[in-house]
Amino acid sequence: WPERLYNHDAEDPEGNLHLGETDHGEDVEINRRAAESDLIIYVNINLVTMDGGHKSVPVGLGTYRSVRPHHNVKTMLTSRSYMDPATSSFGASCDRMGAVVAERVRIFTIETTLNSETFPAALGFLQTREADWGFAQKAGFGVSSRALRMMPFGLRRKFYNMLPAPYGVTAVNAGMTGPVHDRTLEEVHKQQLVKVEGQADIMLVGLPSLGPYNVNSILNPILVKCMSAGYFFNFYRGKPLLRKGGVMIVMHPMQEAFNMVHHPSYYDFYHQVLPQTRDPAEMEGELENGFAVNKRYIDLYRNSYAYHGVHPFYMWYWACHGMDHMGRVIAVNPECPQVAERIGFDTAPTLERAIDQAKEIVGRNPQISYFHCPPVVMCDVS
């Protein structure tokens, strides 16, 4: 750095090149250096089925102009599962854009898949069923659930962020983007696909403090919404784990906390946009562009370590499909109840009370499914 290693800058006026439009009128604009190269070598890790494929170059090296066509309310509402490319409007848009890129740019794609070893051996119990925990984990010997609960939240977060995941590689495929990604999806499904009989009336989710948008940072309230109603709801192929009108119950601290280096526009979105509206369509039509072209956010994105100013809007839209499908989301014992209210969740003091509240919506004898994560799983619901 900076001669041979540098980040893509989506706001560099001279650093991006418009390649054309898809047959749906979607603008395709990517990094100029990549577009004018003889060859792009794309290397990734596919942690979930939404990663990789034609989401790689058109999105990863795109600009606001070329991200808007698929990161929008209409696309999110009509995508069904974002994690199932075959039924995803989002995935279809990326494929169309990828075809335009492929006409102009040679790309050699290398995609890798991993197993689910999220924690080192001392904390391996965190990715097993609680019923399978040994005496040491339950009683408090060594690193245990009790010891972790005794840590202050900030120290616990720092501890988690320092842990290297002992992932192992399950496959490496290389060649043309489309055929490579087909094999990649097969490998991810081998690792993550779980057969489930029937949909649930109530879905229990223990939400982790780590996600794709808060590495070395905080899972702020907007990202809590994205992770629960966006990611966790959409971990399915075919039918959702939760039936239409069902209730998701979320366990997470829900603190009113933001990292002002990484997420400055998130803070403003939470304090300025959400008091006005939680309606994604209204946000998109009236407020999104102001954040997207805000000079302060652009400067922090280009010259500091901030996400793009428009990013919190897209994370909010990411929850569109889930929120439209579910009858209610209930947060259990949040540290800041006003956070749950601000992002549109109900609250309950205990899990038992949350289930009672859910029964008022789904009926007295609900089918309850517990989505245990880690490891990440994809529900294949019959």
Side-chain angles (χ1 to χ4, degrees), residues 18 22 35 72 105 109 122 186 210 218 233 238 300 330 335 364:
H18 189 259
T22 70
N72 59 62
V105 184
T109 295
E186 291 176 7
L210 278 177
I218 298 167
F233 172 81
L300 292 172
I330 303 173
E335 290 187 14
R364 300 304 301 169

Side-chain angles (χ1 to χ4, degrees), residues 54-193:
H54 288 296
K55 182 174 176 286
S56 53
V57 173
V59 181
L61 294 180
T63 66
Y64 176 55
R65 181 181 182 183
S66 60
V67 170
R68 281 185 299 175
H70 39 66
H71 280 65
N72 59 62
V73 176
K74 180 180 178 181
T75 300
M76 295 304 169
L77 280 174
T78 59
S79 277
R80 304 288 64 91
S81 174
Y82 311 144
M83 301 294 174
D84 185 7
T87 62
S88 170
S89 299
F90 173 79
S93 177
C94 293
D95 287 345
R96 291 190 294 268
M97 290 186 163
V100 173
V101 173
E103 291 177 358
R104 297 280 301 273
V105 184
R106 296 179 67 204
I107 302 173
F108 185 73
T109 295
I110 306 172
E111 293 190 343
T112 66
T113 55
L114 305 177
N115 64 17
S116 296
E117 292 293 329
T118 309
F119 294 109
L123 289 169
F125 68 92
L126 289 175
Q127 60 190 42
T128 62
R129 300 168 192 259
E130 286 80 356
D132 296 333
W133 287 2
F135 177 77
Q137 284 83 38
K138 295 178 181 178
F141 301 122
V143 180
S144 67
S145 58
R146 182 178 299 177
L148 291 172
R149 285 196 300 269
M150 291 174 64
M151 287 185 185
F153 191 83
L155 180 61
R156 199 185 324 166
R157 181 191 298 126
K158 186 175 182 180
F159 175 64
Y160 276 134
N161 286 344
M162 291 171 60
L163 290 172
Y167 289 124
V169 176
T170 59
V172 179
N173 288 289
M176 293 181 64
T177 302
V180 164
H181 195 57
D182 289 342
R183 288 195 176 187
T184 297
L185 292 178
E186 291 176 7
E187 295 296 332
V188 176
H189 285 156
K190 285 180 187 178
Q191 182 67 45
Q192 297 181 1
L193 211 58

Side-chain angles (χ1 to χ4, degrees), residues 158-367:
K158 186 175 182 180
F159 175 64
Y160 276 134
N161 286 344
M162 291 171 60
L163 290 172
Y167 289 124
V169 176
T170 59
V172 179
N173 288 289
M176 293 181 64
T177 302
V180 164
H181 195 57
D182 289 342
R183 288 195 176 187
T184 297
L185 292 178
E186 291 176 7
E187 295 296 332
V188 176
H189 285 156
K190 285 180 187 178
Q191 182 67 45
Q192 297 181 1
L193 211 58
V194 174
K195 295 288 186 181
V196 180
E197 290 187 16
Q199 293 178 296
D201 301 301
I202 300 174
M203 177 181 179
L204 306 182
V205 174
L207 207 64
S209 61
L210 278 177
Y213 312 111
N214 73 312
V215 177
N216 298 322
S217 187
I218 298 167
L219 198 74
N220 64 52
I222 313 306
L223 293 177
V224 167
K225 174 94 171 227
C226 174
M227 284 288 286
S228 54
Y231 273 72
F232 275 69
F233 172 81
N234 282 281
F235 278 130
Y236 70 87
R237 183 176 73 171
K239 296 179 182 178
L241 177 62
L242 191 66
R243 70 163 173 82
K244 179 71 173 178
V247 176
M248 176 184 283
I249 297 176
V250 176
M251 307 280 287
H252 190 80
M254 292 209 180
Q255 298 171 317
E256 194 172 76
F258 294 83
N259 186 307
M260 296 306 292
V261 174
H262 297 151
H263 301 123
S265 65
Y266 279 75
Y267 179 89
D268 293 341
F269 179 94
Y270 179 83
H271 287 284
Q272 296 174 16
V273 174
L274 291 184
Q276 298 181 55
T277 181
R278 288 199 294 261
D279 182 351
E282 189 175 339
M283 291 177 181
E284 184 179 65
E286 300 179 14
L287 301 167
E288 175 188 312
N289 190 63
F291 275 64
V293 302
N294 182 288
K295 291 182 179 179
R296 182 173 74 90
Y297 299 148
I298 289 174
D299 179 64
L300 292 172
Y301 161 76
R302 297 191 67 189
N303 301 307
S304 181
Y305 301 95
Y307 280 83
H308 196 281
V310 81
H311 209 263
F313 287 83
Y314 290 167
M315 295 303 95
W316 192 263
Y317 305 162
W318 214 252
C320 278
H321 171 39
M323 294 303 292
D324 181 64
H325 181 94
M326 294 185 286
R328 196 77 54 86
V329 180
I330 303 173
V332 176
N333 192 28
E335 290 187 14
C336 298
Q338 64 268 27
V339 167
E341 189 280 330
R342 180 72 59 92
I343 65 175
F345 292 178
D346 288 359
T347 63
T350 64
L351 177 58
E352 291 77 11
R353 181 64 189 124
I355 292 174
D356 285 342
Q357 290 177 208
K359 287 179 179 179
E360 296 172 5
I361 300 169
V362 301
R364 300 304 301 169
N365 297 296
Q367 171 67 40

